[in-house]
Amino acid sequence: MDDAERDGGDSADGSGTGDGGSEDAAGSDTPGLASAADVDEILAETGFDADESVLTRRQAEVLVLREQGVRQSEIASMLGTSRANVSSVESSARRNVERARETVAFAEALAAPVRITVEAGADLYDVPKQVYDACDEAGVKVNRTAPELMKAISDAAGDAVQGREVREPLLVGVTTGGRVQVRRSSD
């Protein structure tokens, strides 16, 4: 996937104009708005590296500005592009971030030393004992009480758990550090 596809724009620089617009944000005349230097500083402080990230530099710039409360129309003016393109770049960036989170969650679940499959129709109240037993067997400590564990599972499972009923199969993983992860299982 090239930068234009990741950015959601129709040109290689993500400007959406095809005119080779500037890659760096220009300064703003509006008090309180971030300047190009502010954006560069934030990207540097947070360790952003476009070569290693799922985000392009333009996507990262737009997210920095949006997180600071800058309106899309103001960003468009700063970047010399349209508000519609900024919206597209932001949308693509947020999709990429969500896909990256999903990938990390999958990798962590795969590497978790404790993995419990909770079948559809199971009673949520039975799950903590399954988790504790599997953790004891694997020598992993869970620092949650049974009610805390049930709440964490229910919250993470979303509508796959309703009340006490598990409606869709779940995979409950526990990392060596005791962190509980919940994923919907495709079984």
Side-chain angles (χ1 to χ4, degrees), residues 6 10 16 44 52 54-55 80 89-90 101 106 112 122 127 147 167 173:
R6 284 190 294 170
D10 57 8
E52 299 295 324
V54 297
L55 299 177
V89 169
E90 180 181 0
R101 283 185 179 135
F106 164 75
V127 176
R167 296 202 166 183

Side-chain angles (χ1 to χ4, degrees), residues 30-165:
T30 308
L33 291 185
S35 69
D38 294 336
V39 171
D40 287 342
E41 184 177 323
I42 291 168
L43 291 176
E45 283 176 3
T46 58
F48 177 76
D49 181 351
D51 293 334
E52 299 295 324
S53 178
V54 297
L55 299 177
T56 64
R57 179 163 179 90
R58 178 58 57 95
Q59 288 175 334
E61 290 170 343
V62 168
L63 289 180
V64 164
L65 292 165
R66 292 293 285 152
E67 290 300 317
Q68 292 189 351
V70 181
R71 293 187 339 232
Q72 287 180 344
S73 60
E74 293 166 330
I75 296 170
S77 178
M78 292 169 71
L79 299 178
T81 189
S82 68
R83 192 219 50 85
N85 185 60
V86 170
S87 177
S88 179
V89 169
E90 180 181 0
S91 178
S92 293
R94 294 196 188 279
R95 268 193 315 277
N96 288 347
V97 168
E98 190 52 41
R99 289 176 71 195
R101 283 185 179 135
E102 171 57 26
T103 301
V104 168
F106 164 75
E108 287 177 344
L110 190 61
V114 175
R115 292 191 303 253
I116 305 296
T117 301
V118 180
E119 301 296 330
D123 186 335
L124 184 62
Y125 281 37
D126 296 333
V127 176
K129 182 175 179 348
Q130 292 176 296
V131 172
Y132 293 142
D133 289 348
C135 285
D136 287 345
E137 190 174 308
V140 173
K141 183 163 178 77
V142 180
N143 294 323
R144 293 182 187 238
T145 65
E148 290 171 340
L149 188 55
M150 287 186 296
K151 179 168 179 13
I153 292 168
S154 181
D155 289 350
D159 62 358
V161 173
Q162 294 190 349
R164 289 177 50 173
E165 182 185 0

